[in-house]
């Protein structure tokens, strides 16, 4: 009992059956003397509540409340920030690898590296710029060395032609056209050698020397060719 002589007490109960909870109560005193009640809905860590109570001076009061747990949102934001930082580091590493490939004239590898970066970040202007630069440079190299290879081959300088074709393969390893040209030239070299060898085995040394000398003019470093010509 309060010191002013007024009697005041409150009693209540809550029945919980997730996600719903029901509350009932009764209060007696100077301000209120009536039943009160309410209901709550809980979803995860968030909760919506409604309550009704009666006060002598204010009458019936309706109360709504919404409790939202922001810790999950904060965790999501923190996780997104971590992923963003990790993505930026990954892109930075890929840029370094791509530039190293570019500087070592591994243009096809550099282009693939920058294309992977664009998959991670389609707005990366540096990657887009250098894909175009590397592509133009790659095409220019292929055209230049293909033309030189054709000139050397027509001039009977097969060794130099093969060197030019191998330069193309170094920057474009999947070039079927270049691979076929190399195979054709090597097959022709073997054919000339075998013709000379056949003449040599039949004792026609003059013809053998002619074939091997023709091969020597085209491929001066062919193994043991000088020795074979001397022997014939």
């Amino acid at each position: 009992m309060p010191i002013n002589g007024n009697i005041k007490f409150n009693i209540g109960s809550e029945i919980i059956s997730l996600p719903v909870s029901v509350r009932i109560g009764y209060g007696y005193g100077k301000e209120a003397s009536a039943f009160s009640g309410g209901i709550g809905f809980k979803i995860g860590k968030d909760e919506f509540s409604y309550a009704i109570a009666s006060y002598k001076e204010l009458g019936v009061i309706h109360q709504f409340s919404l409790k939202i747990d922001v810790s999950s949102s904060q965790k999501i934001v923190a996780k997104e920030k971590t992923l963003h930082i990790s993505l930026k580091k990954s892109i930075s590493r890929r840029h370094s690898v791509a530039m190293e490939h570019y500087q070592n004239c591994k243009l096809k590898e550099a282009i693939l590296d920058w294309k992977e970066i664009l998959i991670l970040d389609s707005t990366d202007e540096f990657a887009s710029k250098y894909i175009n630069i590397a592509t133009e440079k790659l095409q220019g190299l292929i055209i230049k060395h293909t033309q030189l290879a054709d000139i050397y081959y027509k001039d009977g300088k097969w060794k130099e032609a093969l060197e030019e074709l191998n330069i193309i393969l170094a920057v474009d390893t999947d070039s079927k056209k270049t691979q076929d040209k190399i195979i054709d030239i090597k097959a022709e070299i073997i054919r000339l050698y075998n013709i000379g060898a056949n003449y040599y085995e039949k004792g026609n040394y003059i013809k053998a020397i002619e074939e091997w000398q023709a091969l020597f003019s085209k491929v001066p470093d062919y193994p043991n060719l000088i020795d074979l010509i001397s022997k014939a």
Side-chain angles (χ1 to χ4, degrees):
M1 178 183 293
I3 57 175
N4 59 9
N6 293 327
I7 299 173
K8 183 178 180 181
F9 69 86
N10 290 285
I11 187 172
S13 178
E14 182 176 23
I15 302 171
I16 300 174
S17 179
L18 292 177
V20 180
S21 59
V22 179
R23 307 174 186 96
I24 56 174
Y26 179 79
Y28 179 85
K30 183 179 180 181
E31 295 180 353
S33 180
F35 286 99
S36 62
I39 189 170
F41 299 92
K42 194 167 186 179
I43 302 174
K45 293 184 178 181
D46 302 330
E47 185 177 358
F48 171 78
S49 297
Y50 164 74
I52 183 171
S54 177
Y55 292 85
K56 289 181 178 180
E57 295 182 0
L58 299 177
V60 177
I61 299 296
H62 300 274
Q63 183 177 359
F64 299 88
S65 66
L66 179 63
K67 183 173 71 173
I68 299 175
D69 178 36
V70 297
S71 62
S72 298
S73 299
Q74 290 173 342
K75 288 178 181 178
I76 291 172
V77 171
K79 187 175 181 180
E80 287 177 349
K81 285 183 178 179
T82 301
L83 289 173
H84 181 68
I85 292 171
S86 177
L87 179 62
K88 287 185 70 176
K89 287 182 178 179
S90 177
I91 289 174
S92 178
R93 286 194 298 268
R94 287 172 184 263
H95 269 303
S96 298
V97 172
M99 187 54 68
E100 184 177 347
H101 282 151
Y102 178 80
Q103 291 171 346
N104 291 328
C105 211
K106 294 181 179 180
L107 300 174
K108 199 164 187 179
E109 291 86 343
I111 292 168
L112 290 174
D113 290 334
W114 279 313
K115 283 184 177 180
E116 287 180 359
I117 289 172
L118 286 181
I119 293 173
L120 297 174
D121 181 7
S122 60
T123 64
D124 194 305
E125 294 180 358
F126 187 90
S128 298
K129 174 184 175 182
Y130 267 88
I131 285 174
N132 293 330
I133 292 173
T135 300
E136 289 178 6
K137 187 174 181 180
L138 177 61
Q139 291 173 345
L141 283 171
I142 291 172
I143 292 171
K144 173 187 173 183
H145 292 288
T146 299
Q147 290 173 344
L148 285 172
D150 290 341
I151 292 170
Y152 283 133
Y153 181 79
K154 290 175 182 178
D155 289 345
K157 298 178 180 180
W158 292 1
K159 176 190 174 184
E160 289 81 356
L162 286 172
E163 288 173 350
E164 296 298 326
L165 292 171
N166 282 320
I167 289 173
I168 296 172
L169 276 186
V171 296
D172 187 9
T173 55
D174 298 325
S175 176
K176 181 76 166 53
K177 186 177 180 180
T178 303
Q179 291 172 354
D180 289 342
K181 282 186 177 181
I182 290 173
I183 291 171
D184 289 343
I185 293 174
K186 287 184 176 181
E188 187 66 14
I189 290 171
I190 293 171
R191 187 185 71 82
L192 289 178
Y193 174 82
N194 287 338
I195 291 173
N198 287 333
Y199 281 129
Y200 182 86
E201 288 175 2
K202 292 176 181 178
N204 194 341
Y205 302 124
I206 293 175
K207 282 289 187 180
I209 291 170
E210 287 177 358
E211 294 297 331
W212 284 338
Q213 283 179 336
L215 177 58
F216 179 78
S217 68
K218 294 174 171 58
V219 190
D221 60 349
Y222 192 89
N224 302 320
L225 193 56
I226 295 177
D227 293 338
L228 288 170
I229 292 171
S230 299
K231 187 176 177 181

